[in-house]
Amino acid sequence: MAELIVALDFDKAEDAYCLAKKIKGEVSWVKIGLELFLAEGPSIVKKFKTMGFNVFLDLKLYDIPNTIKGAVNSAIKTGADMLTIHLSGGKRMCEAALETCSMNNATIQIFGVSVLTSFDEGEFIGYQGKLSELVDSLAKNALDWGVNGIVCSGLEVEKIKNLAPGLKCLTPGIRFDEKNNDDQKRVMTPYQAVMAGSDYLVVGRPITKAEDPQAVAKKINDEIKKAMIAKNK
């Protein structure tokens, strides 16, 4: 069953708590990104865990292997359920993260960031090929290195599932309208993403900026259920 993750992209804990209270019961996962994490510190993760949420800590770590070990160890201590690192950090960096999890008997899932969904064709510095081909290559590496999943556009999920069937796919850039006007360039609707094979759908502004966040979250969950039924026919 695909799951919805709501991105708490706020700079104050109070605003994040307020939104979380509105969606509680409809949503089981929240995402804490750099903005909120840097504003409030690691304790913010524990507070949302106390509220009953699973926490996706989206820090997109990228550093030398030894530093990554320390950072992942600190992430584990917060109680986070999922953590992101950049696959472009290479094999040794990714394996350092996984080794730290193993040494701590941690259940935290490590997801690798492939290509940010804000990138359009030709914008990735130092790479002139198709972004989809770069994502395919990173997905194969992620599977070989033992990473739990990959962060990718919904447009890339179906091919990734064929290339690396054991890899979970987490999809940001989810919108009800494919012709959106924000900074997400490679987007999909909830129904399309689940039909493609996405395991987790990350949604921020369509929910956090809504007059009735819980109603929008319910609408997305209904779309997820509808797609799962269609896939299982």
Side-chain angles (χ1 to χ4, degrees), residues 148-189:
N148 300 111
I150 186 170
V151 181
C152 60
S153 162
L155 301 173
E156 295 137 3
V157 172
E158 188 171 3
K159 191 172 183 181
I160 288 174
K161 287 291 186 176
N162 289 327
L163 292 171
L167 208 58
K168 294 180 180 179
C169 290
L170 185 149
T171 307
I174 299 297
R175 299 289 186 270
F176 282 115
D177 183 1
E178 296 173 86
K179 298 178 181 179
N180 76 98
N181 295 314
D182 58 38
D183 58 348
Q184 296 284 10
K185 300 300 182 184
R186 300 177 349 265
V187 304
M188 258 192 174
T189 66

Side-chain angles (χ1 to χ4, degrees), residues 40-53:
E40 300 293 342
S43 63
I44 192 73
V45 177
K46 295 180 180 179
K47 290 178 181 178
F48 282 104
K49 291 292 294 182
T50 300
M51 292 178 70
F53 289 100

Side-chain angles (χ1 to χ4, degrees), residues 39-132:
E40 300 293 342
S43 63
I44 192 73
V45 177
K46 295 180 180 179
K47 290 178 181 178
F48 282 104
K49 291 292 294 182
T50 300
M51 292 178 70
F53 289 100
N54 294 317
V55 176
F56 166 32
L57 189 55
D58 187 23
L59 301 184
K60 299 181 178 68
L61 301 177
Y62 186 108
D63 215 311
I64 63 173
N66 190 60
T67 299
I68 289 297
K69 285 184 178 180
V72 172
N73 187 58
S74 294
I76 291 170
K77 291 178 180 178
T78 68
D81 302 280
M82 187 186 295
L83 175 70
T84 47
I85 61 176
H86 271 286
L87 292 173
S88 54
K91 180 179 181 180
R92 289 191 298 115
M93 191 201 83
C94 292
E95 289 184 341
L98 295 166
E99 180 184 347
T100 303
C101 294
S102 178
M103 289 176 63
N104 287 277
N105 293 316
T107 58
I108 188 171
Q109 297 183 73
I110 302 296
F111 271 65
V113 176
S114 55
V115 177
L116 299 176
T117 53
S118 59
F119 277 109
D120 210 340
E121 297 293 344
E123 291 185 343
F124 196 93
I125 297 174
Y127 181 79
Q128 298 303 315
K130 291 183 178 180
L131 289 178
S132 61

Side-chain angles (χ1 to χ4, degrees), residues 159-228:
K159 191 172 183 181
I160 288 174
K161 287 291 186 176
N162 289 327
L163 292 171
L167 208 58
K168 294 180 180 179
C169 290
L170 185 149
T171 307
I174 299 297
R175 299 289 186 270
F176 282 115
D177 183 1
E178 296 173 86
K179 298 178 181 179
N180 76 98
N181 295 314
D182 58 38
D183 58 348
Q184 296 284 10
K185 300 300 182 184
R186 300 177 349 265
V187 304
M188 258 192 174
T189 66
Y191 184 86
Q192 290 172 331
V194 175
M195 289 300 290
S198 295
D199 298 285
Y200 296 98
L201 279 61
V202 180
V203 181
R205 282 164 285 187
I207 292 177
T208 61
K209 300 295 185 181
E211 290 185 10
D212 189 344
Q214 188 176 56
V216 177
K218 184 180 186 306
K219 182 178 177 181
I220 294 173
N221 278 331
D222 288 344
E223 286 285 295
I224 290 174
K225 293 173 184 176
K226 182 180 176 181
M228 293 301 297

